[in-house]
Amino acid sequence: MNMLPSILQTWVVMFLVISPTLFAASVSRVDSYSSARKRHLREKVRKMFYHAYENYLTHAFPHDELKPLTKSFTDSLSELGNLKLEHLPQDYSGSALSLIESLSSLVILGNNTEFERGVLWLSDNLTFDVDARVNLFECNIRVLGGLVSAHILATDSANRLVQGSYNNQLLTLAEDLGRRFLPAFNTPTGLPYAWINLKYGVIESETTETSTSGCGSLILEMGALSRLTGDPIYESVALRALRKLWSMRSSLNLVGTTLDVTTGQWIGYSSGIGAGVDSFYEYLFKAHILFGKEDFWRMFQSAYLAVQKYFRHGPWYHEADMRTGKATYWQLTSLQAFWPGLQVLVGDIAAANSSHREFFYVWQKFGVLPERYLLDHQIIHPTEKYYPLRPEFAESTFYLYQATKDPWYIEVGESIVNSLNSYTKVEGGFASIRDVNTMQLEDHQHSFFLAETCKYLYLLFDDSFLVDRNIIFTTEGHPLPVLSSWHEKLPEAYIPANWTFPKSESQRRRRESAMTLQVCPATTLSLNHGDQQIESACHIPDVRGDHRCLSDEDCGVDSTNCRKRSCSTASYCGLWLVT
Ligand code: DMJ
């Protein structure tokens, strides 16, 4: 079943996300109504970013991350993903991780001077010749992605950045890092080890266990590195790993969460759209946008339909066994909150909106999103009660606002900003929350707070960076340009150099979504107590149980024909206005 022809799909993405003027005509009233408020909120976010950034520079730079409570630092690159804190380096003093992660945000905030200062410092001082064992996925999305994106921004003629003194040093550093990644891929399956020592390669007796996101979310950064350097090796190892991973899917087109890189066998069969898998879905689709390969689209299409069919229950997404499709865990996790953002890219805005509302409900209940929330008992998971300043909910709010210009998303953004300032701001930066019940803090400001959380909030209130730029964001929020020279499908005429995209009326009209194409396989979900419930994968209930409504927004998606219901003049949801 072909949800959308790929080129059209690409347009969907570009129109919905990249071009902030897309909905301008229909929403100018709303926009002017809220522009003063948006400016005010944007300035609040700017202050937040600088409070975090300046405290990092003062108390932690050039170490990796800031400890805001003790105003000190942690060289955490080797600790990311390393829950048991094994094989920690003896002699590693950081890679300025939070600076690397801040670079693209600085440009988005319009601070080219500080961006240049950071680029030049890294050009002169950063080295990867360090005896540190790092997580390949984390190092790829944060460091490689940060460097590649900053290199592109530094050399983009529209920005006029780093004039004269920049000789592609960040790209040289990125290539050096990419080369250090390569030994990880030297396995019988081509699936990479999860861990690599930057100086010595894969250490003896390294674990062969990795996660789906760990080996399936490398293609954007490694592909961009290949395109920039002209060396195909980085893209080809990432692609081989991705293809191998996809070949391991079940007959239901589902993947598991953990696997063995030497045998190519699954270790953990239960999976969902959250931890350990999330960015695998994201990268299938974004790789299609960036490189235009039909292959990515086909993989994504099957994977997306399987998610909607087996994981979705109304607005919620539970986990399921990849072999049987049977529900395993009924839990909402903070990481899942990226999914509505991805659905906006796909064009399933109604579905995105309905899930986003549920995340906001939980956000409001606790003030922030707990890491794990048990849907069947409506309580927080006994141990995963933390909120480490994650960006995913802000990210989806940004995408939904781009697509709809509904001022409600600005209100959601305001609520996120207020929560972050009330609960997590301390004199020395922004601290993670250890327990969302008590709002007890933890001494850690993760680098993604600078790379993503502040960036998406800023872009929600001020998207001027996106004007005339045709970009996608990596899973760590670093922008990459969609260029015809990198893209298999886009004719030169559609994407001229320098990130611009034409906005002709005929192209704008070609928005379609999986929902409008009525991709809604019927499915049977088994609930906790063994009873069965027939559910359609695209069903979204009306907001009110009695089907009364004030506007179309209050109406869901019909479960039998997957059409969006609308609000009648008598204030009832139904299909009467569908053409
Ligand atoms: C970030 O490093 C990325 O967004 C990643 O995809 C998931 N985890 C964190 C943020 O929560």
Side-chain angles (χ1 to χ4, degrees):
M1 194 164 18
N2 201 2
M3 270 205 277
L4 287 177
S6 65
I7 187 71
L8 177 58
Q9 189 64 65
T10 305
W11 287 338
V12 168
V13 174
M14 289 163 181
F15 293 136
L16 289 183
V17 179
I18 296 157
S19 170
T21 54
L22 171 63
F23 297 92
S26 59
V27 295
S28 54
R29 190 184 52 81
V30 169
D31 262 5
S32 60
Y33 162 71
S34 57
S35 60
R37 188 162 161 217
K38 284 199 291 183
R39 265 200 309 278
H40 169 71
L41 290 166
R42 177 195 69 191
E43 288 316 303
K44 268 186 140 175
V45 178
R46 191 193 300 282
K47 275 195 192 132
M48 288 165 65
F49 175 84
Y50 284 116
H51 183 67
Y53 179 72
E54 280 160 10
N55 270 294
Y56 164 70
L57 288 187
T58 309
H59 305 296
F61 174 77
H63 296 277
D64 286 333
E65 290 180 316
L66 170 70
K67 293 176 92 168
L69 300 181
T70 50
K71 298 186 181 166
S72 58
F73 60 84
T74 162
D75 288 320
S76 43
L77 183 58
S78 60
E79 293 173 12
L80 299 173
N82 189 353
L83 296 181
K84 295 186 206 146
L85 297 179
E86 294 166 314
H87 308 291
L88 289 180
Q90 302 307 306
D91 185 23
Y92 167 68
S93 46
S95 304
L97 174 64
S98 296
L99 174 63
I100 296 171
E101 288 259 75
S102 297
L103 291 178
S104 57
S105 301
L106 285 166
V107 174
I108 288 171
L109 266 64
N111 192 343
N112 293 354
T113 315
E114 188 60 18
F115 172 79
E116 292 199 17
R117 215 162 73 90
V119 168
L120 296 178
W121 187 91
L122 292 167
S123 301
D124 290 343
N125 297 285
L126 187 61
T127 174
F128 295 118
D129 196 27
V130 287
D131 180 6
R133 175 182 173 266
V134 299
N135 183 284
L136 181 72
F137 163 80
E138 295 287 359
C139 197
N140 174 65
I141 64 169
R142 300 194 200 210
V143 185
L144 187 62
L147 291 175
V148 163
S149 175
H151 164 74
I152 294 169
L153 290 166
T155 50
D156 176 25
S157 58
N159 284 330
R160 287 196 222 97
L161 295 176
V162 201
Q163 292 175 63
S165 40
Y166 183 68
N167 296 311
N168 299 334
Q169 293 97 326
L170 295 194
L171 182 59
T172 308
L173 282 163
E175 191 169 18
D176 176 46
L177 183 60
R179 241 183 253 122
R180 290 168 195 272
F181 285 173
L182 294 180
F185 293 83
N186 191 10
T187 61
T189 58
L191 295 163
Y193 281 96
W195 300 95
I196 183 89
N197 183 295
L198 289 176
K199 200 181 184 95
Y200 300 115
V202 179
I203 63 169
E204 237 178 86
S205 68
E206 183 55 271
T207 176
T208 56
E209 182 172 337
T210 190
S211 66
T212 295
S213 51
C215 51
S217 327
L218 304 161
I219 188 70
L220 293 189
E221 293 82 0
M222 299 283 271
L225 182 60
S226 277
R227 306 300 170 115
L228 289 166
T229 59
D231 186 342
I233 185 71
Y234 312 107
E235 184 169 349
S236 89
V237 292
L239 188 54
R240 182 171 170 231
L242 190 56
R243 288 216 172 103
K244 173 66 191 170
L245 190 61
W246 184 239
S247 76
M248 292 164 60
R249 70 193 182 281
S250 71
S251 56
L252 307 177
N253 286 330
L254 294 176
V255 291
T257 307
T258 50
L259 58 142
D260 187 297
V261 299
T262 47
T263 62
Q265 299 295 313
W266 291 106
I267 297 170
Y269 291 100
S270 177
S271 82
I273 55 167
V277 195
D278 46 4
S279 46
F280 160 72
Y281 294 109
E282 183 183 354
Y283 272 33
L284 285 180
F285 191 56
K286 290 186 174 174
H288 170 65
I289 300 168
L290 194 60
F291 303 123
K293 279 192 207 304
E294 202 56 36
D295 230 19
F296 292 128
W297 170 246
R298 273 195 293 266
M299 291 189 263
F300 175 76
Q301 178 190 9
S302 311
Y304 182 75
L305 287 180
V307 166
Q308 296 299 92
K309 182 168 178 182
Y310 295 106
F311 297 161
R312 179 170 172 181
H313 182 69
W316 305 103
Y317 289 82
H318 55 80
E319 293 190 17
D321 188 304
M322 64 176 280
R323 298 161 297 188
T324 60
K326 289 229 164 79
T328 48
Y329 301 106
W330 289 78
Q331 300 175 353
L332 169 147
T333 63
S334 180
L335 286 167
Q336 292 175 342
F338 86 101
W339 189 256
L342 182 64
Q343 289 190 306
V344 170
L345 295 179
V346 175
D348 274 345
I349 294 167
N353 174 52
S354 105
S355 293
H356 179 270
R357 277 172 196 262
E358 299 302 335
F359 280 107
F360 189 47
Y361 163 76
V362 179
W363 178 285
Q364 283 180 305
K365 186 166 174 174
F366 298 103
V368 292
L369 269 186
E371 186 71 358
R372 203 173 281 270
Y373 177 73
L374 309 182
L375 290 173
D376 35 8
H377 300 102
Q378 303 262 309
I379 52 166
I380 299 176
H381 187 278
T383 55
E384 296 184 42
K385 316 171 191 173
Y386 47 90
Y387 170 67
L389 308 172
R390 288 200 190 283
E392 285 77 7
F393 183 59
E395 177 183 353
S396 283
T397 307
F398 152 72
Y399 279 110
L400 273 157
Y401 183 64
Q402 281 291 309
T404 63
K405 295 292 179 194
D406 180 342
W408 186 75
Y409 296 109
I410 297 292
E411 279 170 38
V412 173
E414 181 167 10
S415 159
I416 299 173
V417 166
N418 290 342
S419 286
L420 289 170
N421 280 314
S422 317
Y423 302 125
T424 71
K425 187 176 179 193
V426 293
E427 197 184 63
F430 282 84
S432 299
I433 297 174
R434 176 168 293 162
D435 182 343
V436 305
N437 290 309
T438 60
M439 293 297 174
Q440 184 198 359
L441 295 177
E442 188 166 341
D443 200 8
H444 198 165
Q445 179 183 286
H446 291 268
S447 64
F448 52 67
F449 183 71
L450 291 156
E452 291 192 83
T453 314
C454 290
K455 180 183 284 147
Y456 286 123
L457 287 171
Y458 188 89
L459 285 169
L460 170 65
F461 304 129
D462 181 347
D463 58 14
S464 48
F465 175 78
L466 302 176
V467 174
D468 288 335
R469 280 197 171 88
N470 183 13
I471 58 171
I472 55 152
F473 290 101
T474 67
T475 192
E476 192 70 5
H478 296 304
L480 294 175
V482 180
L483 300 168
S484 58
S485 54
W486 290 11
H487 201 281
E488 273 187 12
K489 298 270 173 185
L490 287 176
E492 204 69 34
Y494 291 141
I495 305 281
N498 217 5
W499 306 32
T500 52
F501 190 79
K503 303 173 194 83
S504 83
E505 197 50 43
S506 63
Q507 287 169 2
R508 269 184 213 161
R509 282 206 210 103
R510 300 187 66 172
R511 283 180 55 234
E512 284 199 63
S513 75
M515 203 68 86
T516 59
L517 292 171
Q518 298 174 28
V519 181
C520 53
T523 180
T524 305
L525 294 169
S526 71
L527 297 177
N528 259 3
H529 313 296
D531 45 344
Q532 300 270 299
Q533 183 176 319
I534 302 292
E535 172 67 291
S536 147
C538 69
H539 177 220
I540 301 172
D542 300 329
V543 168
R544 292 177 49 155
D546 60 4
H547 311 291
R548 298 304 302 260
C549 51
L550 292 174
S551 72
D552 290 354
E553 285 299 295
D554 297 337
C555 301
V557 172
D558 190 273
S559 60
T560 51
N561 60 17
C562 287
R563 286 188 179 158
K564 175 85 178 84
R565 289 152 61 86
S566 41
C567 192
S568 74
T569 42
S571 297
Y572 277 100
C573 290
L575 285 170
W576 22 76
L577 296 181
V578 173
T579 51

